[in-house]
Amino acid sequence: MPQRRAITGRSQEPRARFAEELRLLRAMKGVSLRALADAVGWDASLFGKMEKGQTLGGPEVVEALDLYYGTGDKLLTLWELAMADQTQFRERYRRYMLLEAEAVSMWQYSPGIMPGLLQTPEYATELLQQGGLTGAELEKQVAARMGRRELLLAEGGPQFRAILSEAVLRTPLRDPEAWRVQLRHLLEMGERPNVIVQVLPSAKGLHGLTDTDTMFLQGPAGTVAWVETGYSGELVQESTAVQRLQLRYDRVRDLALTPDESREFIKRMLEEAPCEPST
């Protein structure tokens, strides 16, 4: 008989699993973040960010948590796995960025957030802040993201098609005016000859990329795909796997509004967007 696999329902992604374990242990202990901070000796906000997956913390913090929860070196082991996966992610992303710079055409599907190549500085700032970045590192990452936009703005820039789930346009920024600026920027980018923006209405239902942010890059060496979640990303280069993803993308494009219909949809969203209250 084939060996049975134990199914725990826990995340198999190292960073997500680490955060999940932290939340579970604190729930089992029945303590608040503040009580945990008082007992272990670090700020409650740090533990909150660790439990949300926004930061991994340092080894000394994790060792203290292992001691507090009586878990041996379990948390430290999960932390080491998450750190190793983070290093691998950075290497994969560095490779992806090199391929993006060489691409002659790109096409993307975004299920939940504005594509990086179409973001305004305000959008990028709020998004990266939610990921835990602050200060100089936040400024650095926003500047890097804005630098990527130059790809599309340069003469002879690559062709870019972005299909946005309606959810992207239904998730505004906290600052109403910043959100309106983002929507206007999206309309302006869609007017460029090398940029096509399409909207996929929620009413179209489930599809093959429902929860998968996917970017295809076509360059001198062929086509690759970058598949990303909130925790990690994967560079897909094997031709059969890329073709399967492309088939899913093509089906999503068939469901999406036309570029003209999408433009009208975004205009309606802009008209509906709240304005700053008068003072």
Side-chain angles (χ1 to χ4, degrees):
M1 293 180 64
Q3 186 176 3
R4 295 181 62 186
R5 260 189 347 173
I7 300 175
T8 65
R10 306 281 181 84
S11 174
Q12 298 303 300
E13 196 282 316
R15 188 180 184 117
R17 175 62 183 275
F18 178 63
E20 185 179 73
E21 199 68 32
L22 292 175
R23 294 193 300 270
L24 177 63
L25 287 169
R26 187 167 63 83
M28 292 174 63
K29 192 82 169 178
V31 295
S32 66
L33 286 171
R34 184 177 297 278
L36 176 63
D38 290 342
V40 180
W42 274 270
D43 192 88
S45 64
L46 172 62
F47 295 124
K49 290 179 180 179
M50 290 172 69
E51 290 186 11
K52 292 177 182 176
Q54 295 176 350
T55 184
L56 293 174
E60 67 283 353
V61 179
V62 180
E63 288 176 339
L65 288 171
D66 261 330
L67 181 62
Y68 176 73
Y69 289 124
T71 46
D73 63 355
K74 178 181 180 180
L75 290 176
L76 186 60
T77 299
L78 290 174
W79 178 84
E80 289 172 343
L81 291 171
M83 287 295 291
D85 185 71
Q86 180 171 275
T87 300
Q88 293 170 8
F89 168 72
R90 287 173 178 167
E91 289 302 317
R92 292 193 298 267
Y93 192 67
R94 188 174 294 113
R95 171 64 177 156
Y96 161 74
M97 292 299 294
L98 291 173
L99 292 170
E100 183 182 88
E102 299 173 350
V104 295
S105 67
M106 304 180 287
W107 53 105
Q108 183 171 11
Y109 170 68
S110 295
I113 63 173
M114 195 70 63
L117 291 172
L118 300 177
Q119 291 176 11
T120 61
E122 294 82 5
Y123 190 102
T125 297
E126 184 169 322
L127 180 64
L128 292 169
Q129 283 176 330
Q130 293 305 309
L133 293 184
T134 58
E137 183 60 24
L138 174 62
E139 294 179 5
K140 177 183 174 182
Q141 291 299 323
V142 171
R145 187 159 297 189
M146 294 305 100
R148 289 175 59 201
R149 298 195 311 181
E150 298 304 315
L151 283 170
L152 301 181
L153 301 177
E155 185 176 350
Q159 297 294 311
F160 179 50
R161 178 190 299 271
I163 301 176
L164 313 180
S165 167
E166 182 178 338
V168 175
L169 302 173
R170 298 287 184 186
T171 309
L173 298 175
R174 290 182 176 141
D175 181 344
E177 181 53 31
W179 178 236
R180 293 174 65 83
V181 169
Q182 174 64 73
L183 292 176
R184 285 195 291 266
H185 176 70
L186 188 59
L187 289 170
E188 291 169 2
M189 291 298 291
E191 292 178 349
R192 298 187 63 82
N194 61 322
V195 178
I196 295 174
V197 176
Q198 292 181 257
V199 176
L200 179 66
S202 300
K204 295 295 184 177
L206 297 175
H207 52 80
L209 295 177
T210 294
D211 59 352
T212 308
D213 194 308
T214 309
M215 169 76 94
F216 296 91
L217 307 173
Q218 184 177 27
T223 302
V224 300
W226 175 259
V227 179
E228 189 167 352
T229 68
Y231 287 106
S232 185
E234 178 184 0
L235 186 61
V236 183
Q237 297 178 280
E238 197 275 318
S239 59
T240 301
V242 172
Q243 288 170 7
R244 285 199 296 265
L245 283 169
Q246 279 187 276
L247 178 59
R248 294 184 183 187
Y249 185 90
D250 289 343
R251 289 173 175 169
V252 169
R253 186 177 60 188
D254 291 342
L255 294 172
L257 301 176
T258 67
D260 287 342
E261 291 170 339
S262 298
R263 183 173 180 79
E264 293 305 311
F265 188 98
I266 298 168
K267 284 182 178 179
R268 289 197 300 273
M269 295 298 300
L270 183 55
E271 292 170 358
E272 295 171 9
C275 299
E276 290 279 13
S278 57
T279 55

